[in-house]
Amino acid sequence: MPYAELATTTNFSFLRGASHPEEMVAQAMALGLAGIGIADRNSLAGVVRAHVFAREHDAPGKGLRVVTGARLVFDDDTPDILAYPRDRTAYGRLCRLLTRGNLRARKGSCQLFFEDLEEFQEGLQFIVMDDDSGQSACLGRLMAFAPARIWLAVSLTCDMHMRERLARRIGLSHACGLPLIALNDVYMHAPERRPLADVMACIREHVTIAHAGAALLGANAERHLKGPAEMTRLFTDAPHAISETIAFLNGITFSLDDLRYDYPEELREGFANEQEALTYHAYEGAKFRYPAGVPKKVTAAIQYELNLIGTLHYAAYFLTVQLSAEAVAISL
């Protein structure tokens, strides 16, 4: 059965993820996953390298999609929520949500509250993580505005309570009418990274390995990427939770390839387009530089550069540089 891992924490979640984004993507391809979601803590940082690596190694051609998300960690009683934008507009909302949290807190921290999520929720798909604290209240509020965009997470990482946890989540899924989705809550691409993950956890919590305890370090090294066959075996009592990973994946059309920088329109104010504005300013500058007349050699060089800039569609960038230089000159 096809499977996509949608809870992946990379080393861009400082002192939590034990593997690089590139390692996650490479391992996902090797395991034959249908998709991998990069969802770092209150951050979109890790997905850039994952996306570039996937593109350079033809991950789509090998059947792997890399999707962009974030693990939203709140400062109230809201449990962690994985948020994935369905389209470009929703990605912008997710960015604004994270920006708000970052502006509230000191550098390196992000302070979010459920009310922030309510404001920017449109177009986002949510996976509510398995955490009993604040679960019922959170689900009720989420279902008020996004009933068709919520999944309940369940992970089976071979601890003594995993079957009990699965039964509890199945019951909650039936009670709320929300689909259950399987994930492994991954923070390392392979189990061999477990020692590094333990050391980072100790650094993060300011304790030694000897005093950390199983609660901090984890009972095993199971929170690594697993292939479809292994995940299907773990979820024999809830196979629908595996198929929901593909349903979730199919709801996402957004890719980082959709991003294009939108330059402000005032850069070309008074002109039909940026190229026309740049051409005007370039020749005006040449007249200022050569008051006795612009040499033919210089004119040819200017035209060559303008043609190249036009081919590459870089005119707006050069206009931005000019505008910045004028602003600096005025301030001085």
Side-chain angles (χ1 to χ4, degrees), residues 2 10 29-30 32 41 78 96 138 162 171 190 239 292 309 318:
T10 77
M29 284 193 289
R41 290 172 64 89
T78 305
R96 292 197 293 275
C138 166
M162 71 175 191
I309 290 168
F318 286 97

Side-chain angles (χ1 to χ4, degrees), residues 10-24:
T10 77
N11 62 339
F12 279 81
S13 294
F14 187 54
L15 294 180
R16 294 182 185 273
S19 294
H20 297 285
E22 298 91 336
E23 292 175 315
M24 293 290 195

Side-chain angles (χ1 to χ4, degrees), residues 310-321:
T311 300
L312 298 174
H313 305 291
Y314 284 170
Y317 167 76
F318 286 97
L319 290 173
T320 303
V321 173

Side-chain angles (χ1 to χ4, degrees), residues 98-118:
L98 295 173
T99 298
R100 174 176 292 182
N102 288 328
L103 290 173
R104 276 197 190 113
R106 59 182 175 80
K107 186 176 180 180
S109 300
C110 184
Q111 191 175 48
L112 290 176
F113 301 96
F114 190 88
E115 289 74 15
D116 303 318
L117 181 62
E118 285 181 307

Side-chain angles (χ1 to χ4, degrees), residues 279-295 298-299 302:
T279 300
Y280 171 81
H281 289 301
Y283 281 109
E284 286 299 303
K287 291 177 185 178
F288 178 80
R289 176 68 176 81
Y290 299 99
V294 182
V298 173
T299 300
I302 291 173

Side-chain angles (χ1 to χ4, degrees), residues 55-75:
R55 186 172 56 193
E56 291 176 347
H57 292 79
D58 191 27
K62 297 171 183 175
L64 177 74
R65 283 188 63 194
V66 177
V67 289
T68 300
R71 184 177 187 132
L72 304 180
V73 181
F74 297 87
D75 275 48

